[in-house]
Amino acid sequence: MGYDLNMKVWRGDESGGELTDYVVPVEEGEVVLDALHRLQATQAGDLAVRWNCKAGKCGSCSAEINGKPRLTCMTRLSVFEPGETVTVTPLRTFPVIRDLVTDVSYNYEKAKKVPPLSPEPRQADGTYRMQQEDVERGQEFRKCIECFLCQSVCHVIRDHEDNKEAFSGPRLFLRYAELEMHPLETKDHREAAKAEAGVGLCNITKCCTEVCPESIKITDNAIIPVKERVVDRSYDPLVWLGSKIFRRSADD
Amino acid sequence: MTDPSTIERHSYDVLVVGAGGAGLRAAIAAHDAGAKVAIICKSLLGKAHTVMAEGGAAAAMGNVYSEDNWRVHFRDTMRGGKMLNHWRMAQLHAQEAPDRIHELEDWGALFDRTPDGLISQRDFGGHRYARLAHVGDRTGLELIRTLQQRAVALGIDVYMECTVTKLFQEGGRITGAFGYWRESGRFIVFEAPTVVLATGGIGKSYKVTSNSWEYTGDGHALALEAGASLVNMEFVQFHPTGMVWPPSVKGILVTESVRGDGGVLRNSEGRRFMFDYIPEFFKSETADNEAEADRWYDDKTNNRRPPELLPRDEVARAINAEVKAGRGSPHGGVFLDIASRRSAEYIQRRLPSMYHQFKELADVDITAEPMEVGPTCHYVMGGVAVDPDTEESTVTGLYAAGEVAGGMHGANRLGGNSLSDLLVFGRRAGIAAAAAATAAPSERVSISDDDVTAAADAALAPFERQGGENPYSVQQDLQDIMHRLVGIIRRADEMQQALSELEQLKERSAQLSVEGHRQYNPGWHLALDLHNMLRVSECIAKAALERTESRGGHTRDDYPATEDDWGTVNLHCVLDDDAVSVRRETLPEMPDELRELFEEK
Ligand SMILES: Cc1cc2nc3c(=O)[nH]c(=O)nc-3n(C[C@H](O)[C@H](O)[C@H](O)COP(=O)(O)OP(=O)(O)OC[C@H]3O[C@@H](n4cnc5c(N)ncnc54)[C@H](O)[C@@H]3O)c2cc1C
Ligand code: SF4
Ligand code: SF4
Ligand code: FES
């Protein structure tokens, strides 16, 4: 059954803006992005929003809905009380470009600092052998759709522009964790995780994990193990070497 | 009038338009060959369509069935394409796909594994053996992320949220491209002797589609306007299983892996109706009873494949027919059931993103109840006609790879053959473009100010008009026309009707106006995209009208049979005086050693 939804949408650009009221007809089963699209098509042709897949796979459509960072394409209107006003604002941690579109280049700049994989040589037959259990940890991190919701919610940078220089944020910590735990990697990335990405600034509040639409256990499975390895390194480099040497091989 | 001297300019050897799998792979190859390369894309980096691919990438690595090899893959691809594919592309693709998958592992990709540690491979429609390298049901994400990270590590320049609207030429060869930044609305000019189009598909011209806003056929239209020809445009793939309910998600893809992993299709009477739709062409390799079909998952040597895994065109038509006959599901689809056939644990492990998608968007638990599915516009087989070895079009310096290129898939694409296509031909295009660009650097010609001014004025036209129509309503009408009149089942009178309605839309779209200003203005962007959508739609309708037979992704109600005479003819669309014309060309002849592969059993 269709009904009229009351919405407040932030409209504006870097010079400022305001919440604008709209009433949008919506249908059963729709998501917030549907309502925004209907606004675009009928009342506000120039409303700026990002989206691509409309199925939670590309991470383009992030915004803050009633103050919570979420994917607009995966937020069903049925989660709101009937009559509740739905307020959509841009991600707070990044500078606004226009309306709901923010400048997320911070994330892309930080990604440039992540070292590439330096894999061990292939087997004689041209393949790599890895066991399913050994790839699964990395696969969890590689589920990341780069929606940057975790980046937006992390208090280290959410209200502290000055920390952005030294801190790459939870999305990027996944990259370092992935390298550290990659079954084929030959190099040690702990120093980079500490010095370049600033993993030490994280104080494990787990806010990032809570908002991740891919349910990646960012803090428990990536950040904490990397922090532990960083600490270990100052005591005993052999610990790291050992974790590499004793990984499971196809023969056992 | 825009002053051309105020426009941002850059110069490169190779300009890659598109940052999906094909574009990224092309850029990496061109960079490795020593060229100065730029990548341009409409969305942010990593958000191209490739990110949405689910099931996997087809490559005859033989990790699960050692009987598999490139010849079997080649044969499956040609038969799936109803023998209309360019044989040389199908051959190169089958031969090179395994290497292209393996090198992704050098760059960090983590595919699912077999028990002995190799890349695991899964079953998909039309493939004789389990052949798709995969990561759960998010293979496209793995592929694009791996290539994206590689391109970033190599330091390749990326211009994101930047849209190309025009290619420049001089003396018949490419000299560069014109575009605008979505963020600021400012213009940008690239000087480059070679351009690789990797812009993906056209699905946004249809009402029910698995494709995003980006799929407006830009590369197809740019190539056409530069003088290249588009081949096989009548062949549009309707994927048999899109979501049908709720309305807001209608068209969103349900991966073929559901069927590859044991899911079956049933009608409202509970019947596995695909047994009623096995065509003569595939009889000898398809099971004709449930017992045999069910045994096949574990023993492929002694059993034939279930009919649910026939090529997509067959399954989509069957679903369409069941719904028409009144045996559909409550919301106008059919039932796709894996819940009663596999354990909840298996489903969640193999199909995590499908589980999530249905749970979140439709309140359906696919481990406990069947899904409702129906056909959705998914992929265009047609595209820029290219040389199979270099991917160069008939326009010197203009290359195309990935979904925007034509020929590889013939009349119908097999699932999984696109991701591998992107890698194989993206790489080839990048190498060839780099070689051409760096071979004769002195031949470089510059772009004239007049051309730049004309491109800028064309882009700004929608702001100049006042009180014209809104682009969203024209787009909606276009989607409706294509869906209704040039959709999954076609007839001459309906397509003629479509062509005359498209003419009216062209007039309406020439009168569009947009509100607001140039900064991140989706209404303006759509007004420009519409031009391309109309061009491509005209190609599809004209080619479809011309081909008076049914084959692969092209089904005619008025010509239901597949005709041998048409089996050797390709249709090419070219631009003649601003209108699309269609000409027939004879299919290239396959060498004997390949032809023999089709003669055995
Ligand atoms: C839901 C879904 C699931 C799929 N699953 C599979 C699967 O399992 N296996 C398989 O093999 N195939 C699958 N496919 C098909 C496959 O994903 C696509 O065919 C393939 O990813 C296309 O890749 P591409 O590199 O050609 O283009 P894309 O990845 O679509 O990239 C196109 C690029 O071009 C850019 N672009 C377009 N126009 C312009 C312009 N004017 N200016 C600048 N840039 C432009 C875009 O921004 C984008 O970066 C699936 C498709 C969908 C939609
Ligand atoms: S756990 Fe660390 S990275 Fe995550 S939100 Fe908290 S401080 Fe930020
Ligand atoms: S880790 Fe999760 S929240 Fe962060 S960017 Fe990736 S998908 Fe989004
Ligand atoms: S549009 Fe892709 S995640 Fe929302």
Side-chain angles (χ1 to χ4, degrees), chain A residues 51-54 56-61 71 73:
Chain A
W51 71 285
N52 279 289
C53 68
K54 212 174 167 292
K57 295 192 166 64
C58 72
S60 303
C61 63
L71 297 178
C73 76

Side-chain angles (χ1 to χ4, degrees), chain B residues 345-530:
Chain B
E345 181 274 327
Y346 177 90
I347 297 169
Q348 293 209 25
R349 177 164 50 82
R350 299 278 295 196
L351 303 163
S353 83
M354 278 305 104
Y355 174 77
H356 189 67
Q357 179 175 314
F358 271 89
K359 192 101 195 151
E360 298 282 316
L361 294 173
D363 290 328
V364 167
D365 176 355
I366 68 169
T367 65
E369 47 191 322
M371 302 159 242
E372 278 187 74
V373 295
T376 180
C377 177
H378 184 56
Y379 184 89
V380 63
M381 273 67 77
V384 183
V386 293
D387 173 77
D389 288 79
T390 64
E391 316 337 303
E392 189 169 24
S393 71
T394 51
V395 175
T396 308
L398 184 62
Y399 299 73
E403 192 168 340
V404 66
M408 161 66 204
H409 305 287
N412 173 57
R413 172 179 72 89
L414 294 186
N417 269 1
S418 172
L419 291 184
S420 41
D421 161 359
L422 310 180
L423 300 170
V424 168
F425 295 108
R427 172 178 161 277
R428 285 185 158 268
I431 291 173
T438 49
S442 56
E443 268 180 35
R444 245 173 236 190
V445 254
S446 61
I447 297 160
S448 83
D449 282 353
D450 286 352
D451 284 354
V452 174
T453 309
D457 290 349
L460 289 175
F463 285 112
E464 305 296 321
R465 291 184 288 261
Q466 303 291 317
E469 210 176 337
N470 145 1
Y472 296 97
S473 54
V474 177
Q475 183 191 35
Q476 215 164 30
D477 290 351
L478 171 66
Q479 292 166 335
D480 185 60
I481 292 169
M482 292 305 285
H483 186 79
R484 221 166 11 94
L485 304 174
V486 202
I488 182 163
I489 310 286
R490 300 159 174 181
R491 286 200 338 232
D493 54 342
E494 291 185 346
M495 289 187 282
Q496 269 144 1
Q497 171 76 22
L499 283 166
S500 81
E501 292 187 25
L502 286 176
E503 280 308 310
Q504 293 162 12
L505 284 193
K506 272 197 209 166
E507 281 161 32
R508 283 168 60 193
S509 82
Q511 298 306 322
L512 294 177
S513 49
V514 295
E515 53 184 300
H517 50 82
R518 280 165 71 176
Q519 212 187 5
Y520 219 111
N521 185 339
W524 177 40
H525 305 161
L526 178 58
L528 299 177
D529 292 344
L530 262 177

Side-chain angles (χ1 to χ4, degrees), chain B residues 216-326:
Chain B
T216 52
D218 296 6
H220 288 80
L222 288 167
L224 196 68
E225 288 171 9
S229 79
L230 304 184
V231 65
N232 293 343
M233 289 304 289
E234 64 276 35
F235 299 110
V236 175
Q237 179 167 83
F238 288 82
H239 193 291
T241 60
M243 293 176 81
V244 295
W245 198 88
S248 88
V249 298
K250 195 165 176 155
I252 290 181
L253 195 75
V254 181
T255 174
E256 190 164 323
S257 320
V258 177
R259 284 170 285 138
D261 290 349
V264 296
L265 293 163
R266 294 185 202 280
N267 63 19
S268 59
E269 294 160 4
R271 181 172 169 75
R272 271 178 80 174
F273 59 85
M274 280 310 301
F275 286 103
D276 307 332
Y277 294 90
I278 304 169
E280 202 51 50
F281 192 70
F282 293 110
K283 268 225 160 84
S284 63
E285 59 204 66
T286 311
D288 56 11
N289 62 83
E290 295 198 21
E292 181 180 351
D294 287 348
R295 283 195 306 266
W296 173 88
Y297 291 99
D298 300 315
D299 175 7
K300 296 195 173 49
T301 322
N302 299 306
N303 298 287
R304 292 168 298 172
R305 46 195 311 113
E308 281 86 2
L309 290 174
L310 280 164
R312 289 177 177 169
D313 51 327
E314 310 288 352
V315 184
R317 269 193 302 274
I319 294 175
N320 203 57
E322 284 296 306
V323 174
K324 257 199 178 146

Side-chain angles (χ1 to χ4, degrees), chain B residues 5-215:
Chain B
S5 68
T6 62
I7 294 179
E8 175 182 356
R9 280 192 186 233
H10 301 272
S11 179
Y12 287 96
D13 295 325
V14 179
L15 189 66
V16 178
V17 187
L24 290 166
R25 191 64 190 80
I28 292 168
H31 173 94
D32 289 346
K36 187 179 176 210
V37 188
I39 302 173
I40 312 169
C41 52
K42 291 213 270 193
S43 291
L44 295 172
L45 186 59
K47 312 296 184 193
H49 242 77
T50 301
V51 80
M52 291 170 227
E54 295 161 356
M61 298 184 282
N63 291 351
V64 177
Y65 285 86
S66 57
E67 301 93 318
D68 202 11
N69 60 50
W70 75 262
R71 288 185 185 81
V72 189
H73 191 186
F74 167 76
R75 183 175 179 273
D76 290 345
T77 300
M78 292 293 301
R79 283 173 60 81
K82 302 285 147 63
M83 305 302 289
L84 223 56
N85 325 48
H86 195 309
W87 64 267
R88 176 68 178 156
M89 293 181 89
Q91 180 191 29
L92 288 171
H93 168 257
Q95 288 174 330
E96 295 179 2
D99 285 349
R100 298 289 80 76
I101 299 293
H102 280 132
E103 78 198 351
L104 295 176
E105 290 191 308
D106 295 332
W107 302 335
L110 290 173
F111 291 101
D112 288 347
R113 316 307 294 183
T114 64
D116 49 3
L118 294 167
I119 295 174
S120 169
Q121 301 189 266
R122 78 158 27 119
D123 284 308
F124 242 54
H127 293 282
R128 179 135 152 220
Y129 298 111
R131 188 179 281 150
L132 271 69
H134 57 91
V135 185
D137 52 2
R138 57 159 189 85
T139 314
L141 172 64
E142 188 69 11
L143 197 128
I144 200 169
R145 212 55 96 226
T146 303
L147 294 171
Q148 165 188 356
Q149 291 170 2
R150 179 73 185 164
V152 169
L154 293 173
I156 296 173
D157 291 348
V158 182
Y159 295 79
M160 43 180 142
E161 300 204 300
C162 184
T163 305
V164 169
T165 60
K166 172 101 193 129
L167 298 177
F168 295 120
Q169 276 167 289
E170 186 147 317
R173 59 167 307 154
I174 288 294
T175 55
F178 179 92
Y180 63 87
W181 288 105
R182 287 158 51 80
E183 177 178 332
S184 62
R186 291 215 186 84
F187 295 133
I188 180 164
V189 167
F190 296 92
E191 293 164 359
T194 61
V195 171
V196 179
L197 294 173
T199 52
I202 58 102
K204 208 56 202 169
S205 297
Y206 283 83
K207 191 159 85 183
V208 177
T209 177
S210 64
N211 295 172
S212 84
W213 69 270
E214 290 200 304
Y215 265 27

